[in-house]
Amino acid sequence: MADTAPPPSAAGRSQSPSPSPSQDAGRLPRPVPAQRRYGNRPTMKDVAARAGVGLKTVSRVVNAEPGVTPDTERRVKEAIDALGFRRNDSARVLRKGRTASIGLVLEDLADPFYGPLNRAVEEIARAHGALLINGSSAEDPDREQELVLALCARRVDGLIVIPAGDDHRYLEPEMAAGVAIVFVDRPAGRIDADVVRSDSFGGARAGVAHLIAHGHRRIGFIGDQPRVHTATERLRGYHAAMAEAGLPVAEEWVALGSTEPKRVRAAAEAMLDAEHEPVTAVFTGNNRVTVTVVRVLAERERPVALVGFDDFELADLLVPGVTVVAQDAATLGRTAADLLFSRLDGAGGAPSHVVLETRLVARGSGEIPPWDAR
Amino acid sequence: MADTAPPPSAAGRSQSPSPSPSQDAGRLPRPVPAQRRYGNRPTMKDVAARAGVGLKTVSRVVNAEPGVTPDTERRVKEAIDALGFRRNDSARVLRKGRTASIGLVLEDLADPFYGPLNRAVEEIARAHGALLINGSSAEDPDREQELVLALCARRVDGLIVIPAGDDHRYLEPEMAAGVAIVFVDRPAGRIDADVVRSDSFGGARAGVAHLIAHGHRRIGFIGDQPRVHTATERLRGYHAAMAEAGLPVAEEWVALGSTEPKRVRAAAEAMLDAEHEPVTAVFTGNNRVTVTVVRVLAERERPVALVGFDDFELADLLVPGVTVVAQDAATLGRTAADLLFSRLDGAGGAPSHVVLETRLVARGSGEIPPWDAR
DNA sequence: TTGAAAGCGCTAACAT
DNA sequence: ATGTTAGCGCTTTCAA
């Protein structure tokens, strides 16, 4: 999209040639002077020494455990402040077995659809005292797997995954080992696991039916790659609506593929400008596609109707307003996170499949009549 | 909101009474049978036992270190697969001292402005083999500190922070201990640290000058809270542009505060509808504010000019298109991440302050002449 | 109330 | 080429 401004000046390359940091030059051949990790951070042992107490006492103070005299506590706290001590949670985690962190793997951190979802998950995690580690798969199954396994190696307590791939059997050992995993937006492939998703089929069917109700008979569908579950579900909804209205579907009216603007634009133009049976309305399979199609339609004379899956900011302020099938990303995230933490709290039982309803929001673009209406 | 699927059923406590995993059962009065953490995941020791090799050999295979016969390697790998072993990075980290993870603290994960930034940081982190832990401060200084310190306790190698607070002295011990920290969007408060930000002052000055060039003399400024550095910098730019044009600024034309739509709407309406000297143009301090003001202006008859700080998706498709002072969030993130990793790679030197230029993008709303022009 | 000792699972350093 | 021994910094256990 926008031009990527080059970093103005090369970032501060002003390092002086490191004046021989430490003096421990000519000494005994000690293998390694028990050198501290973590940039020589003080440990509980250091705090204990400074406060003149035992290690465990420091631990008690740090963790606010009972059984420490106010006076001792004060001395320990002073030592902590003086040394700038901060507990090393890595070590704690190793001992305790829980990391108090969960992983969130989504498709693209930059996609505005995931912002509210990400935020909702974070809020719930925070309420449970857990940190959120996240990353995006860039819609690449290999990358998804790599990321998910890296998170498992970090021993996240649980994982929320928006799957890019369609085979998640690689997760079986992890799940058997007790990692809780909830899939969002799309079900897991070839394993049975918790899922929270929107009703893609029903939403798309309703959206297309809306267009049909407004007089359209030749309706295009532009969606995501067929590998993506939501894409095929929405396409199924499209076919269902058309079939229910007794309308035929020409092959040229359906275009699945990447959400890359160029591809979407080409697909849209092809079905709009076809000699034979140009479409009078378009249903778009997700917000990325919708935005590009809005651009294409804005350039043309002939008014073409549009309904898009996913709501997006400012959809109401465009002219015409964009009619959408809205799904609630925040609720999706919140529900998934709640489910995940209930699993972590010990909830057993069969995997649950939560399906959230969508909502058709009419704003104008979906109510445009066909331009060839007689 | 939607139905939060109730935890299906209560806890799955179905582990059989541990069929005495290892044989060292009837021995000394060992306090606790060394029970495994992490949901009984296999460890390198288990793999070693199963493959009939030493622990270190497993470690070598797992880390692809040299010095293992192809045959041994095969046996170890078989054991790994059979057991579903996955290295515990918590332990690794404890030993190695580096976590290969960085933290990103921003204001709001749901704000579209941060999506591309987040994504850019993630890409760089990934290129360096690091994971990204992130969270949002909700623009609350206490929450920022809490989050940052939690990340430090996890011993992230470095931190990228979009500061909410204005006093970051609490980071001094961390930085002294070697945690690399780069601030983005706004400088750190009361400490000297690396910063990567846009030229808020210059951008705002240019934006306001643009309005002045189009004939406006009464221009409003609606910005973020005065605590936020960018807000005051942009206000400074506004004042500079007005002063340079010899224009007075009425007190009622300036409104700093929360970016909450209600507040922004009230502020906008007040300055637009003033009896005395209503403004004919508005400069908005960030994308959240801009979006709300666009809504307000869309409801009115009188055409009011608008220039906003920050670009946003679809700004070009609104009618009129919204003229903005664009900053490149992705480059901001990329530059900060590059700087962070250069620090982690040992780059020393004084803190660097990188300032990225902004770009005025004229799209229509900023070129509307004053409605009272004679 | 306090603390010493034994690991958590891994890697570094040193045998063999 | 492979194995053994110490820890990393913390919590757990148990004794004082």
Side-chain angles (χ1 to χ4, degrees), chain A residues 1-16 37-42 83-91 93-101 107-112 114-116 118-119 122-123 126 129-138 143 146-147 149-155 170-171 173-179 194 287-288 291 294-295 298 312-319 328 331 334-335 338-339 342-343 345-352 354-356, chain B residues 1-13 37-42 83-91 93-101 107-112 114-116 118-119 122-123 126 129-138 140 143 146-147 149-155 170-171 173-179 287-288 291 294-295 298 311-319 328 330-331 334-335 338-339 342-343 346-350 352-357 359:
Chain A
M1 302 242 156
D3 45 2
T4 300
S9 64
R13 260 299 93 93
S14 35
Q15 68 257 78
S16 43
R37 267 79 204 193
Y38 305 105
N40 290 317
R41 269 173 166 287
L83 262 32
F85 168 82
R86 199 89 64 196
R87 180 180 64 198
N88 184 334
D89 276 355
S90 289
V93 148
L94 179 59
R95 192 64 242 238
K96 299 205 76 148
R98 277 218 169 176
T99 57
S101 58
E107 187 206 319
D108 181 359
L109 281 168
D111 183 334
Y114 296 113
N118 203 344
R119 173 67 184 270
E122 194 217 357
E123 285 303 334
R126 179 179 141 81
L131 284 179
L132 219 208
I133 305 187
N134 68 18
S136 42
S137 63
R143 190 161 156 180
E146 178 196 335
L147 197 51
L149 292 181
L151 291 167
C152 289
R154 292 297 170 97
R155 296 297 187 267
Y170 69 90
L171 281 171
E174 311 301 328
M175 299 178 73
V179 183
D194 290 319
N287 81 80
R288 298 297 78 201
V291 166
V294 165
R295 294 212 138 78
F312 55 95
E313 187 166 47
L314 300 176
D316 58 322
L317 283 186
L318 296 176
V319 181
D328 185 339
T331 301
R334 204 177 313 116
T335 308
D338 280 337
L339 179 54
S342 80
R343 294 297 190 190
D345 288 345
S352 67
V354 181
V355 177
L356 302 181
Chain B
M1 305 236 149
D3 41 1
T4 298
S9 84
R13 263 300 91 95
R37 267 81 202 190
Y38 304 106
N40 290 315
R41 269 173 166 287
L83 262 32
F85 168 83
R86 201 88 63 194
R87 179 180 65 197
N88 184 333
D89 277 355
S90 289
V93 148
L94 180 59
R95 191 64 243 240
K96 301 204 75 148
R98 277 218 169 177
T99 57
S101 58
E107 187 207 320
D108 181 359
L109 281 168
D111 184 335
Y114 296 114
N118 203 344
R119 172 66 184 271
E122 193 215 356
E123 286 302 332
R126 180 179 142 82
L131 284 180
L132 219 208
I133 306 186
N134 66 19
S136 41
S137 64
D140 172 354
R143 190 161 156 178
E146 180 195 334
L147 197 52
L149 291 181
L151 291 167
C152 287
R154 291 299 169 97
R155 296 296 188 267
Y170 70 89
L171 281 171
E174 311 301 329
M175 298 178 73
V179 182
N287 81 81
R288 297 297 78 200
V291 166
V294 165
R295 292 211 139 80
D311 203 356
F312 56 95
E313 186 166 48
L314 300 175
D316 57 323
L317 283 186
L318 295 176
V319 181
D328 186 337
T331 300
R334 203 177 312 117
T335 309
D338 280 338
L339 179 53
S342 80
R343 292 296 188 193
S352 67
H353 295 219
V354 180
V355 177
L356 303 181
E357 288 313 302
R359 211 172 78 253

